[in-house]
Amino acid sequence: MNLGRNQKQPSRGNLLDQIGDKKRVLRFWQTATIGNSEDRLEYMQFGGDHLRPLVFLTSIEYPTSPPWGFCIDAANSGFGVFSIRRPGFGASDPVASIDQQAAIIEAFFEEAGLENIVLVSVGSANPVGARLALKSRRVTFSVFANCVFNRDVMGEFRPAWFGRLLSQTTESRAGARISLGAIRQAGKQFGSQWFYQTCFQKSPGDVAYVKTYPREMAEAWEIASAITPETWQQELQPSLSGDPFLRDGLFSAVPALAISGMETTDSWKRGFESEAARLGVPVSYLTSGDILVPYQSGTELLTLLKAKVAA
């Protein structure tokens, strides 16, 4: 069944592209200057201009692109992959709120001339993705991956000390500085591989991804560990303290899907399904992964998308 809106809109080239045909075979990061305020937004694009945009809003856990092999498979399935480093990450200028993040990304879609977008919001990007799913005429199908929505997930984090650091982040700006500093120190002392394998330990698929793609994980650590305490707090506040935007039935008339991994805990699944039902979005489980589920189960994601939308 075709659930996308505005299906007859043709895909067309990114009007802001500075790379050209090289992006057909390689992953390149580039920076666009958006609007009169000239806000910078860093993004990666892979694939030909004729392909339907499959846009990943990256999370604090993994602010980089899907693997090259996934991008090839996506192109063969009719999708051109974009990864967006949201405001505050990499070369993207920080902003003061989640609503401003959504506004800048929507302005990027407009100025780039992207149409018929399939938007995949991952982890801490979901509050931004929720706003774009409702407000952007260019987004015609939305996927919410590893989404908290509005529920208490503090007991889900492993190891327990990591959950305590995250909780401290939402309490005060000073707490955000201390917790971010502690995470930076842990990564510096033990390395990014140790950090990600430790913090993703409840999912064998996530750990397998970390081991399989050390280059991507090293890049993810470099970007994530360089954010400011202000961005760190802005990332976690909606998911850990609640987002008033997520009212009952919000997605009942929106072409969307919420996904999680089968490897996650039973308590996570119960909360995930309950919130999805409240918001009016159907759910689906992929075989492997949890925090990194759309990447670790990338082949399944593409199969699912082809069944849901016209690529």
Side-chain angles (χ1 to χ4, degrees):
M1 181 172 61
N2 186 343
L3 297 179
R5 295 175 296 194
N6 304 325
Q7 292 298 325
K8 294 184 179 180
Q9 292 179 338
S11 297
R12 58 178 177 175
N14 169 17
L15 301 179
L16 299 175
D17 177 40
Q18 304 171 53
I19 299 300
D21 285 344
K22 289 186 289 186
K23 67 180 180 292
R24 289 177 174 268
V25 293
L26 296 171
R27 293 174 297 170
F28 280 99
W29 288 92
Q30 48 187 311
T31 303
T33 302
I34 309 299
N36 294 331
S37 59
E38 297 190 341
D39 291 300
R40 294 176 302 167
L41 190 71
E42 189 177 20
Y43 70 97
M44 186 283 301
Q45 181 180 1
F46 183 99
D49 290 331
H50 64 289
L51 298 171
R52 183 174 184 178
L54 175 60
V55 178
F56 286 80
L57 294 185
T58 62
S59 66
I60 194 168
E61 301 93 341
Y62 186 78
T64 194
S65 65
W68 181 81
F70 174 88
C71 295
I72 290 290
D73 292 342
N76 290 335
S77 298
F79 297 105
V81 176
F82 289 72
S83 284
I84 292 178
R85 285 182 178 146
R86 292 174 295 110
F89 289 87
S92 299
D93 291 326
V95 296
S97 70
I98 295 297
D99 288 323
Q100 288 180 16
Q101 285 195 43
I104 287 173
I105 294 168
E106 171 63 2
F108 168 74
F109 293 161
E110 292 281 344
E111 293 187 26
L114 301 183
E115 301 281 1
N116 212 17
I117 296 168
V118 177
L119 185 67
V120 181
S121 304
V122 187
S124 59
N126 276 292
V128 178
R131 286 155 174 79
L132 291 168
L134 265 292
K135 298 178 180 180
S136 174
R137 70 175 184 84
R138 295 177 181 269
V139 174
T140 54
F141 192 84
S142 294
V143 177
F144 306 111
N146 186 38
C147 41
V148 173
F149 294 139
N150 283 353
R151 55 194 170 100
D152 184 0
V153 295
M154 294 310 303
E156 300 288 347
F157 294 105
R158 302 290 184 275
W161 60 260
F162 185 59
R164 289 194 292 271
L165 281 178
L166 298 184
S167 179
Q168 187 177 16
T169 300
T170 64
E171 293 171 358
S172 67
R173 188 59 53 83
R177 286 195 299 271
I178 292 169
S179 63
L180 181 59
I183 289 172
R184 285 172 175 161
Q185 183 59 37
K188 182 178 180 180
Q189 182 173 354
F190 300 109
S192 60
Q193 275 286 314
W194 173 88
F195 178 80
Y196 284 121
Q197 290 183 44
T198 299
C199 294
F200 295 174
Q201 63 182 254
K202 71 176 184 177
S203 167
D206 283 352
V207 173
Y209 187 93
V210 170
K211 293 178 178 179
T212 302
Y213 298 103
R215 177 181 172 183
E216 281 80 0
M217 299 312 302
E219 182 178 350
W221 171 260
E222 180 182 359
I223 297 299
S225 63
I227 64 173
T228 66
E230 290 77 15
T231 297
W232 172 234
Q233 189 174 54
Q234 186 182 115
E235 280 294 290
L236 299 184
Q237 198 81 42
S239 294
L240 299 185
S241 299
D243 184 356
F245 183 79
L246 298 177
R247 58 190 180 274
D248 293 357
L250 184 67
F251 302 123
S252 57
V254 175
L257 182 69
I259 64 171
S260 188
M262 287 299 298
E263 294 177 343
T264 193
T265 63
D266 289 340
S267 56
W268 176 281
K269 291 174 184 174
R270 287 192 297 270
F272 166 65
E273 292 171 10
S274 175
E275 272 295 274
R278 179 183 70 83
L279 293 166
V281 60
V283 303
S284 184
Y285 287 95
L286 305 186
T287 303
S288 183
D290 178 25
I291 293 171
L292 299 176
V293 66
Y295 310 110
Q296 172 63 8
S297 292
T299 300
E300 288 182 54
L301 175 63
L302 290 173
T303 300
L304 187 63
L305 289 177
K306 286 190 290 184
K308 294 290 184 182
V309 303

